[in-house]
């Protein structure tokens, strides 16, 4: 029992979390001095307790797989110097046949990718002929090119199987089949909780129909009545055809109603729950991945926008998917994971424009890995290129529309810009005040708009807000490590969507919704440190404690 006293760290961490919760309660009551003292004590205790821990675990998740040049060497070795040698050696004959099949597969993949690019280019050309009434072939070519490229990426993984590695981290050990059933069961329970939160009194809460919901429904109705009207960007409420097509489908399934418009948001909100587990597993392991999924399932900020018929809820969903598949692709070194990350990035760009800020945050993160992780570029450049290509193909029509008609695409952004209705001499002060309000909206005074939030209430509940504050300190303390840097980039850069908008609306939880997943992830970071300490102290001596049959914990 020599190591058992290390549980003192767990006790101190629990005290620090309780102090943070107390500090958050005082901050919500506008007792800033008390809150600062309590938060300072909590942060100091937590940082001191885990000063030797760090975020080393993430290094396993980003370990670069060994470069395998064996395939190229085998190919060169199979070039026969003499047909007699090959014919007299059955092993070489079989290997040469396999190599020919591989070359044929690679050529087929290259041909499929080329056809996908040509089809996408043709669709883009058809769109620019008439953005409102493109030829009937435009949308099928667009969708078909994306499906064809994804199929080619899938074949790449099958062909390149021996070059793949599934780098297991401390956070992502393989789960036995028996425990996978428990995992799926836990996810289904969390999903059921999330469904209840989004469907309870779905017919009458929120009351009435918002302007944006009605406008989106009318656009879908027009699409149903006019088979030739298939615009890339209708422009009236800053929505894209992708969102209108989803409402169109919902109308076909459920009939025309406000609830049918909101059903699209409900589905996006529910889809974010397994997406949260995907990312949480890669960052924190299965146990905290489930915890992160539960937070997304019940958090007021996320649930509220999942019940309103607006496209903004798509941003957290595609952020979680893009980051989750990217991190899994780095760990597993597989083309398909990068392809799915590109798919999520492209679709995210096709909904809420604020998603562009998340793309910038993720781009800075990848750039940091390219600079600091030796061999990262050599191992991953083809996959990163495919991810970027797929995202560009998906967002291509919208990007081209923005280039051709910037006055239409950027009209809403200009109307809501901080600079639009602020005198030049007051802009710096307005920017600083907007920044202050948005940084405090998580913990003290949230969005005042009753459509977005309980007016003025903090965007996070007391416990989540306290954990997030500790998580920010931890991320700053180890900001040079990939996980800490990713979370800080993700929190701050998408927050600009609210900071740079109208000052009299600040803080704006809708335009800064891109920061929402990062806030929840930062709240999980202190629990990750506690979990790691539990593994090293208690579980070493009582391996079944808090685990039972669930080995995936």
């Amino acid at each position: 029992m020599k190591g058992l006293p290390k549980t003192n760290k767990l006790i101190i961490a629990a005290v620090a979390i309780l102090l943070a919760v107390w500090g958050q309660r005082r901050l919500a009551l506008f007792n800033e001095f008390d809150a600062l003292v309590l938060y300072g004590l909590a942060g100091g205790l937590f940082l001191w307790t885990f000063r030797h821990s760090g975020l080393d675990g993430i290094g396993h998740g980003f370990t670069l797989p060994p470069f395998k040049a064996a395939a190229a060497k085998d190919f060169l070795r199979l070039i026969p110097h003499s047909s007699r040698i090959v014919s007299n050696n059955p092993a070489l004959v079989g290997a040469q046949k396999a190599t020919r099949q591989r070359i044929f597969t690679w050529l087929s993949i290259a041909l499929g990718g080329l056809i996908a690019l040509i089809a996408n280019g043709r669709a883009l050309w058809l769109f620019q002929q008439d953005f409102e009434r493109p030829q009937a072939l435009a949308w099928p070519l667009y969708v078909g090119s994306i499906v064809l490229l994804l199929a080619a990426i899938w074949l790449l993984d099958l062909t390149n199987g021996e070059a793949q590695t599934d780098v297991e981290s401390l956070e992502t050990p393989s789960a036995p089949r028996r425990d996978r059933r428990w995992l799926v069961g836990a996810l289904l329970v969390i999903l059921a909780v999330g469904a209840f939160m989004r469907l309870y009194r779905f017919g009458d809460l929120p009351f009435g129909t918002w302007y944006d919901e009605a406008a989106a429904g009318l656009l879908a109705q027009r699409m149903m009545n006019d088979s030739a009207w298939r615009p890339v960007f209708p422009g009236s409420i800053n929505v894209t055809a992708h969102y209108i097509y989803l409402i169109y489908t919902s109308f076909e399934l459920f009939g025309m109603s406000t609830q049918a418009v909101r059903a699209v948001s409900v589905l996006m909100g529910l889809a974010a729950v397994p997406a949260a587990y995907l990312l949480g597993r890669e960052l924190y392991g299965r146990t905290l991945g489930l915890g992160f999924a539960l937070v997304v399932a019940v958090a007021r900020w996320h649930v509220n926008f999942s019940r309103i018929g607006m496209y903004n809820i798509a941003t957290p969903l595609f952020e979680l998917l893009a980051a989750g598949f990217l991190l899994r692709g780095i760990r597993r070194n597989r083309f398909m994971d990068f392809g799915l990350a590109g798919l999520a990035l492209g679709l995210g760009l096709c909904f809420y424009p604020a998603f562009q800020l998340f793309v910038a945050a993720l781009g800075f993160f990848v750039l940091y890995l390219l600079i600091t992780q030796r061999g990262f570029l050599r191992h991953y450049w083809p996959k990163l290129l495919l991810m970027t290509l797929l995202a560009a193909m998906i967002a291509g029509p919208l990007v081209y529309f923005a280039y051709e008609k910037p006055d239409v695409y950027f009209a809403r952004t200009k109307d809501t810009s901080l600079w639009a209705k602020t005198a030049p001499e007051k802009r710096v002060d307005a920017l600083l005040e907007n920044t202050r309000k948005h940084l405090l909206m998580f913990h003290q005074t949230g969005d005042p708009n009753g459509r977005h939030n309980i007016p003025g209430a903090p965007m996070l509940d007391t416990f989540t807000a306290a954990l997030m504050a500790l998580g920010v300190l931890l991320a700053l303390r180890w900001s040079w490590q990939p996980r800490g840097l990713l979370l800080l980039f993700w929190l701050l850069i998408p927050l600009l969507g609210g900071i740079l908008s109208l000052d009299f609306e600040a803080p704006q939880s809708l335009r800064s919704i891109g920061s929402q997943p990062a806030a929840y992830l930062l709240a999980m970071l202190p629990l990750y440190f506690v979990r790691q300490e539990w593994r090293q102290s208690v579980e070493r001596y009582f391996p079944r404690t808090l685990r039972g049959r669930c080995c995936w914990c």
Side-chain angles (χ1 to χ4, degrees), residues 213 215-231 234 239-265 267-268 351:
E213 294 174 324
L218 289 173
L219 291 173
Q221 187 180 37
R222 180 181 176 185
M223 188 177 284
M224 296 175 72
N225 296 333
D226 186 352
S227 60
W229 190 72
R230 296 293 183 267
V239 298
T240 62
H242 299 74
Y243 179 62
I244 301 304
Y245 264 118
L246 291 177
I247 297 177
Y248 173 98
T249 305
S250 184
F251 280 179
E252 292 285 352
L253 294 174
F254 308 116
M256 294 185 189
S257 65
T258 301
Q259 281 65 42
V261 176
R262 292 173 178 172
V264 175
S265 297
L267 290 176
M268 287 183 177
F351 284 85

Side-chain angles (χ1 to χ4, degrees), residues 394-456:
I394 296 171
L398 192 62
V399 172
Y400 198 79
F401 179 90
Y403 174 76
E404 288 289 324
K405 300 185 177 182
D407 54 330
V408 177
Y409 182 77
F410 294 105
R412 179 64 176 166
T413 303
K414 291 179 180 178
D415 289 341
T416 59
S417 170
L418 176 63
W419 317 127
K421 299 178 181 180
T422 305
E425 66 274 9
K426 296 181 179 180
R427 287 177 179 176
V428 174
D429 292 337
L431 178 62
L432 293 176
E433 182 63 13
N434 259 16
T435 303
R436 184 189 68 83
K437 288 181 177 179
H438 281 85
L439 290 176
L440 286 175
M441 77 174 185
F442 302 100
H443 299 86
Q444 190 177 63
T445 305
D447 196 323
N449 189 335
R451 183 181 66 174
H452 303 163
N453 184 38
I454 300 173

Side-chain angles (χ1 to χ4, degrees), residues 58 60-63 167 172 278-284 320-334 337-338 341 362 365-366 369 376 380 387 482-483 486-487 490 521:
I58 197 65
H60 296 278
F62 287 100
T63 298
V167 180
T172 55
L278 167 69
L279 177 58
R281 176 188 184 275
E282 293 301 322
L283 284 175
Y284 300 132
L320 292 167
L321 290 173
F325 281 119
L326 175 62
L327 296 188
R328 193 171 78 159
I330 291 172
R331 176 173 61 85
R332 302 202 311 171
N333 193 26
R334 298 189 181 179
D337 289 324
F338 284 87
L362 200 64
F365 171 68
V366 172
L369 292 179
F376 188 88
Y380 292 113
M387 179 183 75
R483 180 185 298 159
L486 171 62
L487 296 181
W490 195 345
L521 283 168

